[in-house]
Amino acid sequence: MKKNYPIYTIKQECQDCYKCVRACPVKAIRVEEGHAAVIAENCVACGMCYTVCPTHAKHVRSDIEKAKSLIGSGAKVYASVAPSWAGILDCSVSRLVGMLKKLGFAGVSETALGAQQVSAVTAEFLNQAEPGVYFSSACPVCVDYISRYTPELKKYIVPYSSPALTHAELLKKTFGEDIKVVFIGPCIAKKNESDTQEDLIAAAITFEELKKWLFEEGIDLLNSPQSSEGFVPEKSSDGAVYPLEGGMLRSIRRNGLKEGVKLITVTGLKNFCKTLQALKEQNIDRVCFVECLACEGGCIKGPCPGGEVSTLNAFLGVEKQFDESIPPVKQAKYKVPLVFGGAVAPEKKFTEEEILSALAKVGKFTADDEINCDGCGYNTCRNFAHALLEGKAEPAMCVSYMRKRASRKANAILRCIPSGVVIFDNNLEIIESNQPFAKIAGADIEELFEQIPGLKGAALGKILPFEMIFKRIFKDGKEIHKERIPFGKKLLDMTIFPIEEGQTAGLIVQDVTKSELHREIIAQKAQEVLRKNILAVQEVAGRLGENIAETEIILNYITEGFGPEKK
């Protein structure tokens, strides 16, 4: 993916673990040559792939330079700070304001002020609404999900923009339309809001980016200068609890609701998806409002906090900022219409014949073959087949298929190797062996091999009485070579090597009895030739002279070359 999208992959860092595929609620991941890339037109920027990637191959687009450019342009730039700051940044209001003003911001304001406006307008909307289900517009991920994947439900979203966009409108009306607003929070999806409504939010940076920016500027988060100025234009009240699960509902209740309005909170995008599916099948006989948040536990669990965050500390930090003495916003002054940024995700449908053909590519020919192990990242084998047909997945992602394929290849190689081959564990139990090994071990073992293919589970030390040698491979971990080892009437050459350190090892064994006998016969003939030649040489010693020594050297060389090997 190109870096202008909120989330992208560094291909060289991706290690084909498919963890991002498993984590992605909308499967907006395409795997090519073992590397996973985010599919922009399907992505809702929830950040799940980013948080679970074990090799940190997923990256979030940095908008620090964009924010710096806005400040450097001479424009008045205001920071809209998400209320989750109180549970994540671990600093006071005066220190937070001081740090941001040192970075060049003209003023620092709480996004919570926008949240309060959203609560007021939502309460107003619900009090006039007909029975039915309605969804909050506060979380851009959930709004984007409905827009892309269940567009028929778009009409049930409260038709007013998120707290961040509403807050940007508030700041522009307060400080001038020419100001620029930069959102700061733990959310990646705010970058999408910024991209689609740049007139309101000029840039969006995460807390992770903010910490990096402060570090680059040499500003200490814990010991930076404090500002005598607080949040502008005023301090928030109930909007401060928006980052908490159920926080929006608490804020709405303060504005007053008509009797019978049902309020529900759903956190976690996967849970939200399930909720949407269930709602399609039910008739709602009252006004039911769903506060939907993509991050389980609320925004304090956002994907980019910039470090480890204690949920309890984050909760308490946010709660501390809620000033109940400040009255709620009873009447919304700022109403920003909701604008959908995400286009409907393209959906391809395939015939049963096509699905079966795709399943056959990964060795699944019957219903019993569809084990639905989730190893590829998809819940079912059929979902995986669908992804194969879409070009989002590769056959190599199927763990069971690759295991069977590797096993078939290994068995084929074992069968074709003329030498005896054994794979055994640290208990000296055979995991796999081939026919030549059974033949070398003797007639009884050959017969056992017919009954137990591969001699799986048999004790190697009882078949070949070299337990001490076999055990040494697990102790030393170094390859062992043994030649001309007596075994009954046979002579064996053995090579023992580690496969998994301390767990499994391999043995290659050859019967060299015949080749050794052949060497002895040649050596005997050479010795006889040597004896006859020495007698002949003695008879003509005077005539041969110094050639006697050369002849003896040559014949000795031949004898030693074909004689028994010295140990």
Side-chain angles (χ1 to χ4, degrees), residues 60 66 90 111 221 258 265 267 270 277:
V60 176
K66 189 175 183 181
D90 192 25
T111 314
L221 185 64
K258 68 182 181 181
T265 299
T267 67
K270 288 185 178 180
Q277 291 300 320

Side-chain angles (χ1 to χ4, degrees), residues 332-364:
K333 187 177 178 181
Y334 304 97
K335 300 180 180 180
V336 181
L338 178 63
V339 176
F340 294 101
V344 177
E347 182 182 3
K348 296 180 181 179
K349 294 185 178 181
F350 300 98
T351 64
E352 178 68 9
E353 186 179 351
E354 288 174 315
I355 294 291
L356 292 175
S357 176
L359 288 169
K361 290 181 179 179
V362 289
K364 300 185 186 303

Side-chain angles (χ1 to χ4, degrees), residues 499-533:
I499 297 175
E500 293 175 299
E501 187 175 351
Q503 299 297 317
T504 57
L507 165 67
I508 298 175
V509 58
Q510 292 177 296
D511 183 353
V512 295
T513 307
K514 290 183 179 179
S515 60
E516 195 64 26
L517 179 62
H518 184 60
R519 290 168 65 93
E520 289 180 4
I521 292 172
I522 292 175
Q524 288 174 1
K525 290 186 177 294
Q527 288 172 354
E528 180 65 23
V529 170
L530 175 61
R531 186 182 66 80
K532 290 180 178 179
N533 273 277

